[in-house]
């Protein structure tokens, strides 16, 4: 992956013990009934990391496992939805796409809509590395420049890190200017209620989007799918949490009868069954990696 949006440079890269003479404490330590303080004292000398390693030596950090998730997802998006590179590009000139420079700017109405984007890592990759105009919807305000410099930039090839540093040396406001040119955030929720406001700004950004994205968008996931259908927009969602109590009205056909959606697998089937044109696909990263997507065509 590079700072310019050139897809060819994207790296292809989520006891039970005997209870006759002991009781189990809150953290799994055996407490001697005759001398509980002695047992607690010895237990406290063992660090949390040591206890975790002893319980499961093969356990890996969840963050380390998923540290390249947004990179793989970004690459997949550009392959499945190539039209966004022209519809939402801030620089449509092909011969200028190998440059980090932002001297050539154009007004493009459409943008990629990143829903529940969190810190903004995916938005940072799409806007800073691939020169796309991105609008992110999330109730928590994000610092996209800090996200890019701390989470995305260190993972880029060294030549692109040097190029960015050269730009910053020439103009300390380079990064800030690029973010202002390519990125905007709506600090709000994305749900049926906010979308129902016919004159609302949220409906306008959905209407002008070239693609709707929801990577682990939690409670907004189904709202993204429904909005894509209403506005006939291409979309991709990667479901994560199900929230069966909050969305108790969801039903899916299973073994010949309708059952409530409670599991991740049921949620994915529930979403893909909304329309026969939808596709379910496994993405190339660990963790919750099932995508439901549609190219917006009949």
């Amino acid at each position: 992956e590079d700072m310019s949006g050139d897809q060819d440079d994207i790296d292809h890269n989520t006891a039970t013990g005997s209870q006759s003479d002991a009781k189990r404490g809150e953290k799994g330590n055996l407490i001697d009934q005759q001398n509980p303080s002695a047992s607690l004292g010895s237990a406290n000398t063992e660090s949390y990391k040591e206890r975790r390693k002893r319980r499961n030596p093969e356990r890996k950090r969840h963050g380390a496992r998923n540290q390249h998730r947004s990179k793989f997802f970004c690459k997949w998006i550009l392959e499945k939805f190539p039209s966004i590179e022209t519809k939402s590009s801030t620089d449509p000139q092909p011969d200028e796409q190998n440059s980090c420079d932002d001297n050539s700017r154009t007004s493009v109405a459409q943008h990629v809509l990143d829903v529940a984007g969190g810190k903004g890592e995916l938005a940072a990759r799409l806007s800073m590395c691939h020169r796309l105009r991105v609008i992110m919807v999330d109730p928590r305000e994000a610092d996209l420049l800090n996200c890019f410099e701390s989470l995305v930039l260190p993972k880029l090839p060294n030549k692109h890190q040097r190029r960015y540093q050269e730009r910053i040396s020439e103009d300390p406001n380079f990064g800030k200017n690029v973010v202002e040119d390519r990125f905007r955030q709506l600090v709000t929720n994305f749900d049926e209620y906010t979308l129902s406001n016919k004159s609302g700004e949220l409906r306008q950004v959905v209407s002008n989007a070239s693609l709707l994205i929801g990577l682990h968008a939690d409670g907004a996931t189904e709202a993204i799918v429904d909005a894509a259908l209403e506005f006939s927009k291409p979309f991709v969602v990667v479901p994560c949490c199900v929230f069966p109590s909050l969305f108790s009205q969801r039903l899916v056909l299973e073994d010949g009868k309708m059952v409530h959606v409670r599991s991740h697998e049921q949620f994915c089937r529930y979403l893909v069954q909304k329309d026969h044109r939808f596709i379910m696909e496994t993405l190339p990263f660990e963790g919750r990696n099932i995508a439901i997507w549609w190219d917006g065509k009949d």
Side-chain angles (χ1 to χ4, degrees):
E1 151 191 336
D2 70 18
M3 298 280 298
S4 66
D6 186 349
Q7 295 184 37
D8 293 334
D9 283 343
I10 299 180
D11 294 338
H12 290 270
N13 336 17
T14 230
T16 57
S18 172
Q19 298 185 13
S20 59
D21 39 19
K23 293 181 179 179
R24 188 167 296 278
E26 291 182 353
K27 295 185 179 180
N29 300 311
L30 292 178
I31 302 175
D32 190 338
Q33 287 182 325
Q34 301 300 322
N35 190 4
S37 60
S39 298
L40 288 173
S42 61
N44 288 336
T45 62
E46 185 180 28
S47 70
Y48 167 74
K49 289 184 179 180
E50 290 171 337
R51 292 197 303 274
R52 186 176 66 179
K53 185 176 181 180
R54 173 170 52 78
R55 290 196 298 268
N56 187 357
E58 302 300 321
R59 186 179 188 274
K60 296 181 180 180
R61 290 180 62 248
H62 182 75
R65 184 181 66 189
N66 291 325
Q67 62 177 326
H68 297 298
R69 180 175 60 198
S70 66
K71 176 173 70 175
F72 295 143
F73 187 44
C74 184
K75 178 181 182 296
W76 182 91
I77 287 172
L78 295 172
E79 291 175 349
K80 292 292 183 181
F81 305 96
S83 64
I84 66 172
E85 293 196 272
T86 53
K87 291 181 178 180
S88 300
S89 176
T90 57
D91 184 3
Q93 301 299 323
D95 59 346
E96 293 179 0
Q97 295 213 356
N98 289 325
S99 170
C100 248
D101 200 350
D102 66 335
N103 290 331
S104 179
R105 300 179 181 179
T106 184
S107 296
V108 180
Q110 289 192 308
H111 49 260
V112 174
L113 188 61
D114 181 16
V115 179
K119 294 180 180 179
E121 186 171 353
L122 180 62
R125 285 185 176 275
L126 291 170
S127 60
M128 300 294 285
C129 299
H130 298 282
R131 309 177 70 87
L132 300 182
R133 180 170 284 105
V134 179
I135 293 181
M136 188 173 83
V137 179
D138 196 292
R140 302 155 296 181
E141 188 169 1
D143 185 340
L144 196 82
L145 181 58
N146 178 67
C147 178
F148 172 73
E149 293 180 341
S150 62
L151 297 179
V152 177
L153 186 61
K155 300 172 188 174
L156 296 180
N158 290 335
K159 64 178 182 179
H160 301 307
Q161 295 186 42
R162 290 194 298 269
R163 181 184 299 174
Y164 182 77
Q165 294 302 330
E166 290 171 359
R167 294 287 190 271
I168 293 297
S169 298
E170 296 170 0
D171 178 8
N173 292 320
F174 172 76
K176 178 175 177 289
N177 292 337
V178 172
V179 169
E180 291 179 351
D181 183 50
R182 304 175 186 174
F183 175 79
R184 182 162 68 94
Q185 180 180 359
L186 292 185
V187 183
T188 185
N189 293 316
F190 191 96
D191 52 35
E192 183 180 359
Y193 176 78
T194 51
L195 281 167
S196 64
N197 185 353
K198 299 298 182 181
S199 61
E201 186 178 13
L202 187 57
R203 291 186 65 85
Q204 294 178 8
V205 300
V206 172
S207 178
N208 292 331
S210 61
L211 175 67
L212 310 184
I213 300 175
L215 175 60
H216 297 179
D218 292 338
T221 301
E222 185 176 5
I224 297 170
V225 177
D226 292 342
L229 281 172
E230 179 183 352
F231 289 86
S232 298
K233 292 293 181 179
F235 80 92
V236 54
V237 294
V238 184
C240 185
C241 300
V242 180
F243 302 110
S245 298
L246 185 62
F247 299 99
S248 58
Q249 78 282 2
R250 292 171 177 165
L251 297 173
V252 66
L253 183 63
E254 191 168 279
D255 297 329
K257 61 181 180 180
M258 302 303 292
V259 299
H260 289 283
V261 173
R262 303 195 63 83
S263 70
H264 176 261
E265 185 271 339
Q266 289 174 328
F267 187 32
C268 291
R269 284 195 290 112
Y270 167 80
L271 293 173
V272 79
Q273 289 173 8
K274 279 178 172 283
D275 195 287
H276 71 277
R277 297 168 294 181
F278 291 178
I279 298 173
M280 183 185 297
E281 182 174 339
T282 301
L283 300 183
F285 55 77
E286 295 186 57
R288 300 295 197 191
N289 61 354
I290 304 299
I292 290 86
W293 64 277
W294 176 45
D295 60 7
K297 301 176 182 178
D298 293 331

